[in-house]
Amino acid sequence: MTGQTFQARAAKWEEARAHMRALGPRWADDIAAGRRAVLETYTPLLAQTPAEGYTVVRDLAYGPHARHRLDVYRPDAVTDGPAPIVVFVHGGGFVRGDMNANAQIYGNVPRYFARHGCVAVNVEYRLAPEAPFPGGALDVGAAMQWVREHIGEYAGEGGADLSRVLLIGHSAGGSHVASYLCDPRVRPAQPEVAGTVLISARLRADVLSDNPNAPGVVAYYGNDPARHESDAPMAHADAMPVPVMVVVAEFENPHLDTYALEFCHRLAQRDGRAPRLRQVRDHNHTSVVAHIDSGDDSLGREILQFLHEINPSP
């Protein structure tokens, strides 16, 4: 990329971020409209990212359901030893969402990590009400089993390092990831990942009047408030077996940022030190993920740093 081209793209990155900053104070007024604005802003910007440095193998089955599918992104360059693995689970309020919401989003996330030397996996899962709790967490477990058994077939010449797996979940996907890791009814006997990143995750199953995704919470967790308390990830925070990075947006869906702080507080009380917490300024619940690989890569670089710190390469 020439200096002039870089400057032109950088101007567009800043323009997109300014748009998110202007949208931010109104985000919770109409989240559906805000989400459309995010997609309209970042889709063309992401489309300008060079389509090189990685190879994608799409629509691989990890289970019998039509949504038991995943895509694998691998770096084209041979890595110095087996590559770390990044697994991404998208959001959607439990009742909607797709790992490829469009041609750019959410493939931008595994694409970014493949372009930075990781073997990256984009995971689809079943939705509520067809698959109520703990269906999403069980699907994450099935996808992780597939990764353990098959990722080497798609990792390329350098191979993949199963001791360096980072599991990332966004929104409802973050709920499923947290339940998979923490809930004793779901979690594996031994941690199968080196660490996890929970981005704008729903860690409490609230049905408050200002929760725009309350119907999705009911569809997934049911109507019983007692089950909301016992089945949500917050109830099992103390069982988190691996290092955690918690990410929230400055303009977050109602209450998700406070739940993130509560989750961090519980881990801090348990461990005597706080987990890594990052608030991404200027961004909202959707753009916090949609902006990754747009050129504005401060969050992506911090996640990579977290990965390398929790389990350094040999």
Side-chain angles (χ1 to χ4, degrees):
M1 184 183 297
T2 67
Q4 185 175 9
T5 302
F6 178 83
Q7 290 179 352
R9 288 208 66 202
K12 292 182 179 179
W13 306 333
E14 289 304 320
E15 181 182 348
R17 189 160 188 154
H19 187 190
M20 295 302 101
R21 186 163 54 246
L23 174 65
R26 308 188 307 276
W27 173 257
D29 296 340
D30 190 342
I31 288 174
R35 182 178 183 276
R36 289 193 297 271
V38 171
L39 298 183
E40 290 169 1
T41 298
Y42 279 101
T43 297
L45 191 55
L46 289 165
Q48 297 175 24
T49 302
E52 56 190 28
Y54 64 94
T55 299
V56 188
V57 182
R58 298 190 183 276
D59 203 31
L60 298 168
Y62 69 86
H65 193 275
R67 290 181 66 91
H68 286 152
R69 298 293 183 272
L70 52 80
D71 296 342
V72 176
Y73 292 65
R74 69 169 181 260
D76 288 339
V78 178
T79 56
D80 184 14
I85 302 165
V86 175
V87 180
F88 177 70
V89 185
H90 67 84
F94 301 108
V95 294
R96 61 186 177 276
D98 193 286
M99 64 178 176
N100 294 304
N102 62 30
Q104 299 297 328
I105 302 170
Y106 292 99
N108 63 306
V109 178
R111 180 177 72 185
Y112 175 83
F113 290 104
R115 285 157 51 84
H116 287 79
C118 303
V119 177
V121 182
N122 203 11
V123 176
E124 194 58 275
Y125 56 87
R126 294 170 298 160
L127 301 175
E130 179 187 4
F133 176 85
L138 292 173
D139 286 357
V140 171
M144 293 306 302
Q145 181 176 353
W146 184 96
V147 167
R148 292 196 310 276
E149 295 176 354
H150 299 288
I151 196 65
E153 303 166 25
Y154 301 93
E157 185 177 342
D161 187 348
L162 286 168
S163 72
R164 292 193 291 155
V165 179
L166 183 66
L167 179 57
I168 304 174
H170 173 236
S171 192
S175 303
H176 299 326
V177 165
S179 289
Y180 161 72
L181 288 171
C182 297
D183 194 320
R185 298 164 295 182
V186 180
R187 61 181 293 182
Q190 296 293 329
E192 298 168 328
V193 303
T196 188
V197 181
L198 304 177
I199 304 177
S200 298
R202 175 157 292 285
L203 299 170
R204 277 199 176 278
D206 80 75
V207 290
L208 298 172
S209 59
D210 58 346
N211 175 7
N213 292 319
V217 168
V218 172
Y220 186 63
Y221 288 104
N223 286 297
D224 184 353
R227 292 292 302 274
H228 294 174
E229 181 69 22
S230 64
D231 290 348
M234 192 70 73
H236 309 287
D238 287 349
M240 175 60 75
V242 296
V244 181
M245 177 177 175
V246 176
V247 178
V248 294
E250 179 178 4
F251 306 109
E252 194 54 83
N253 280 13
H255 310 297
L256 295 190
D257 47 0
T258 59
Y259 300 154
L261 290 172
E262 181 184 0
F263 198 84
C264 287
H265 178 65
R266 293 192 178 201
L267 292 177
Q269 285 186 309
R270 183 194 71 176
D271 298 337
R273 57 183 174 81
R276 184 175 299 206
L277 172 66
R278 168 75 185 276
Q279 183 190 55
V280 185
R281 300 296 301 275
D282 300 332
H283 284 290
N284 56 59
H285 182 76
T286 300
S287 68
V288 70
V289 167
H291 84 281
I292 293 174
D293 207 38
S294 69
D296 177 5
D297 75 336
S298 60
L299 177 60
R301 283 186 283 108
E302 188 162 347
I303 293 173
L304 284 169
Q305 181 186 35
F306 175 68
L307 168 61
H308 295 310
E309 286 177 356
I310 59 177
N311 200 341
S313 58

